[in-house]
Amino acid sequence: MAFLRTLRSVLRLAFLAFVLAFSAIGSGATADNYRIKAGDTLQIEVLEDTNLSRPVLVLPDGNITFPFAGTIRAAGRTVGAVQSAIVSQLAPNFNVSPNVFVSVASLAPPRAPTVPIIRTYGVYAMGEINTPGRLDIDTKEGVTILQAIATAGGFSRFAATNRIELRRVNPKTGLETTYIFDYKRGRGISGATPLQEGDVIVVPERRLFE
């Protein structure tokens, strides 16, 4: 009987080693150079007490907890290092050093890529311009009056380009100021004038003989 029990233990050990080796080949995660990460799930098998065998999640702080072994650092370590640490912690609870097998059951799910937040402000173009409406401007880049006109598709064929208006409301007083931009002759405010949130560009229709 003792021989049969020993034989069964040997066969079980060999089978378990085969399963873990196959798992390692399939996942590629139990290679000696793989460093465990938070979010990975480890499969821990204790041959001498199968009640202890279980999957264990590597917590965000990089640790795992295991019965009779307590808290063990896992993140940043290899599977072999974690296995050795568990054996060391479990050893006082067994007559002989236990046989422990550790493999990576699943890898931490990949993090979603961080999408940069682009903050914008609105300026408006109306009148004799090809694409009137709101323009959303990146706050980091800003925009000039000439750039805004180009973004809005440029002037229509009826545009009075010598008296373009830039209308700006003072947010503190609510008063509106009108600036003239003479694109045709280069007079008035510069085409490089930076626009502010809420600015309105008005391109009037040219007169009959203008």
Side-chain angles (χ1 to χ4, degrees), residues 115-121 136-143 147 194-195:
V115 179
I117 298 175
I118 300 176
R119 301 187 183 280
T120 62
Y121 64 92
D136 290 314
I137 309 304
D138 188 332
T139 54
K140 291 184 178 180
E141 296 181 359
V143 70
Q147 288 172 336
L195 299 186

Side-chain angles (χ1 to χ4, degrees), residues 36 58-64 70-78 81-82 85:
I36 297 168
V58 182
L59 300 175
D61 63 2
N63 295 325
I64 61 172
T71 300
I72 296 174
R73 183 70 182 174
R77 305 175 76 177
T78 64
V82 173

Side-chain angles (χ1 to χ4, degrees), residues 180-182 186-190:
I180 300 300
F181 171 44
D182 186 344
R187 299 173 183 173
I189 62 173
S190 168

Side-chain angles (χ1 to χ4, degrees), residues 54-123:
R54 66 196 62 201
V56 177
L57 177 68
V58 182
L59 300 175
D61 63 2
N63 295 325
I64 61 172
T65 56
F66 195 74
F68 304 113
T71 300
I72 296 174
R73 183 70 182 174
R77 305 175 76 177
T78 64
V79 170
V82 173
Q83 183 172 292
S84 298
I86 295 174
V87 170
S88 178
Q89 295 288 92
L90 287 180
N93 300 283
F94 294 85
N95 292 328
V96 295
S97 183
N99 292 287
V100 177
F101 298 91
V102 178
S103 64
V104 179
S106 63
L107 299 177
R111 294 182 179 180
T114 302
V115 179
I117 298 175
I118 300 176
R119 301 187 183 280
T120 62
Y121 64 92
V123 299

Side-chain angles (χ1 to χ4, degrees), residues 169-175:
V169 176
N170 187 318
K172 295 181 179 179
T173 64
L175 298 176

Side-chain angles (χ1 to χ4, degrees), residues 1-12:
M1 294 295 292
F3 172 76
L4 291 176
R5 285 197 298 269
T6 302
L7 179 60
R8 282 198 296 268
S9 296
V10 171
L11 291 174
R12 183 180 178 185

